[in-house]
Amino acid sequence: MNGIFVIAHGPLASALRQCVLHVFPDNQAGVVALDVLPNLPPEETLAQARIMLGQMQASTSDVLVLVDVFGATPCNVAQKLVDGVHSKLITGVNLPMLLRTVSYRHESLDALVARALVGGAQGVMQVAITAPQNQNRRSHDQDPDQHQQ
């Protein structure tokens, strides 16, 4: 099983982990969160992240690291942490992405990366406020019976 390590601005990482554990309560050991605090130097955050990653790798084969914003401290710390072989990094974590990764933790790390990217992208959509059958059909719509949900 792959481990999942969420590194994000506090308290986002812990909040995402709690949401996942609400749906998948048996995955406490497989999903770890590190909240990056605003007053903590990046070096201390990196040291803490290395300890947590080492603990995860003692019990899992590979680790997928998910961060919130590219270029911010959590991402910069994670880039120094990830080796690209036994751990991979994705930025832009959201709850649909995280739920997808937990669902497919048993797959290879490369497959898990692909699942995470699809889950994250498919989880972002505009939702109509009326039922699909009550919406006006636009002339450029391809299939009137196919609705994304």
Side-chain angles (χ1 to χ4, degrees):
M1 282 276 192
N2 294 300
I4 300 166
F5 189 6
V6 181
I7 304 174
H9 293 90
L12 182 58
S14 294
L16 286 170
R17 181 177 185 270
Q18 289 304 313
C19 288
V20 166
L21 294 180
H22 177 76
V23 178
F24 299 104
D26 296 337
N27 285 281
Q28 285 195 344
V31 181
V32 175
L34 174 60
D35 288 315
V36 176
L37 304 175
N39 299 330
L40 198 62
E43 298 79 25
E44 289 184 37
T45 302
L46 179 59
Q48 188 176 4
R50 283 188 172 135
I51 291 168
M52 294 172 78
L53 181 65
Q55 291 171 343
M56 287 185 77
Q57 289 179 325
S59 61
T60 61
S61 57
D62 297 319
V63 177
L64 179 59
V65 180
L66 305 172
V67 300
D68 53 0
V69 180
F70 179 77
T73 301
C75 186
N76 296 337
V77 165
Q79 283 180 294
K80 294 175 183 170
L81 190 68
V82 173
D83 66 10
V85 176
H86 295 289
S87 55
K88 303 265 184 186
L89 173 62
I90 297 176
T91 186
V93 65
N94 58 32
L95 188 55
M97 175 189 291
L98 193 51
L99 291 169
R100 179 77 57 101
T101 58
V102 172
S103 296
Y104 294 98
R105 282 183 54 213
H106 62 279
E107 293 188 0
S108 72
L109 188 57
D110 289 331
L112 189 59
V113 166
R115 295 258 192 204
L117 293 172
V118 169
Q122 287 180 346
V124 177
M125 67 184 86
Q126 181 179 3
V127 177
I129 58 172
T130 61
Q133 61 270 21
N134 296 334
Q135 296 176 24
N136 292 333
R137 178 157 156 57
R138 297 182 308 259
S139 61
H140 63 277
D141 286 345
Q142 295 177 353
D143 184 356
D145 297 319
Q146 188 176 40
H147 302 284
Q148 185 180 29
Q149 297 186 8

